[in-house]
Amino acid sequence: MATETIINAAVPIAVFIMMFALGTGLTFKDFRRALERPKALLLGLSTQIVAVPIMGVLFVSMQTLDAEIALGIVILALCPGGAMSNVLTRIAGGDVALSVSLTAVTNLLSVATLPILALMAVSYFLGNYVDQIDIQEVTKRVILVVTIPVILGTLLRHFAPGVILRQEKRIFRLSLAVFILIIGWAMVESSETLYAGLFLIGWQLAVLIVLLTGLGFLVGTLFGTSSSQRTTLALETGVQNSGLGLAAAAMLSVDPASFPVSAVPSVVYSALIYTFLFPVVLWLSYREQRSYISKTTG
C-alpha cells in the first residue's frame, strides 16, 4: 500500500476507530460523577489544555533540534490522552470516572485547540511553510476523526448499553490492534529516521514523559486532590495520544507521498511511553492492592 494511501486513508480510519472506542467507554453517569468533584476535573482540563502545550514549547526551546522534530514534539503535546490512559488508570487504581471524563472532554475540545495551536507551531518552527496549509481543511479532518467518533461512541453507549457491554472487550481489542498496526507501519515506514530518532530524541522524549507525568502529580498534590485523583491526573497528563499525533502530523504535511518527519516523535513516544510508565502503573496497582488488604484485615 502506498504511503500516500496510508496517510490519507488508513491513518484517519485508525484514529476514528480508536476515538470511537474511547467514546464507548464514557457514560453520562461517569461524567456526572466527575462533575460532582469539579476541582479535579477542572485541574485536569487546565493542565492538559494549557500547561502541557506550554511545557512542550518550553522543552523544545531549550533543545537544539531539527525544526520538524521540534514541531512534532509540540504537536504531540497538543494531543490529549486516548483510551490507553483510561486502561492504565484502571490498573493503577486511579479514579476511572475522572480519567474517562477528562479523556473525552479534552479530545472534544481538541477540535478547537489542535488546528489553531498546531498552525501556530508550524508558523513558529517552519515559517512560510504555513501558507501551504488550509486551516479549515485541518479542522474538518479533526472533527471527522476525533469529535464525531467520540460522540457516536458515547451516544451508542447511552442508547444501547447492552450491546456495548457485550462487545466491550472486542472493541478495546480492535482499537488496540488498530493502534499497534498503524504505529507498526509508521515504524517500518520511517525505520531509518526512527532508528536515528531513538538515539537523537529518545532520551529527550523520556525526560518529557517524566516531566509531564510529574506535572500532573504535582498539580494534584498542590491542590489537595485524593490519592486516586492524583494518579489519574499524572497518567492523563503523561500519556499523550501518539496515534492522533501521527494523524495530526500527516494532516499538516504538504507532501502526502512521503512519511512526515514531524510524525517521528509520536512514533518514538509510543514506543517509550509503555516502557517507562507500565512498570510505574504495576507498582501503583500493587500498592493499591496492599492498601486494600491492610484495610480489610486491619
Side-chain angles (χ1 to χ4, degrees), residues 182-267:
I182 207 65
I183 293 297
W185 163 80
M187 288 180 174
V188 172
E189 188 67 25
S190 62
S191 56
E192 293 184 7
T193 308
L194 179 62
Y195 182 74
L198 281 170
F199 288 95
L200 292 174
I201 64 171
W203 71 269
Q204 292 161 318
L205 286 174
V207 170
L208 184 60
I209 290 169
V210 173
L211 288 175
L212 292 179
T213 305
L215 172 65
F217 188 83
L218 178 63
V219 167
T221 302
L222 289 176
F223 286 88
T225 61
S226 67
S227 175
S228 62
Q229 289 174 338
R230 287 197 297 272
T231 297
T232 300
L233 291 173
L235 290 173
E236 285 294 322
T237 305
V239 181
Q240 298 299 104
N241 191 337
S242 52
L244 180 57
L246 172 60
M251 291 177 197
L252 295 167
S253 174
V254 294
D255 182 14
S258 62
F259 186 86
V261 175
S262 57
V264 171
S266 290
V267 180

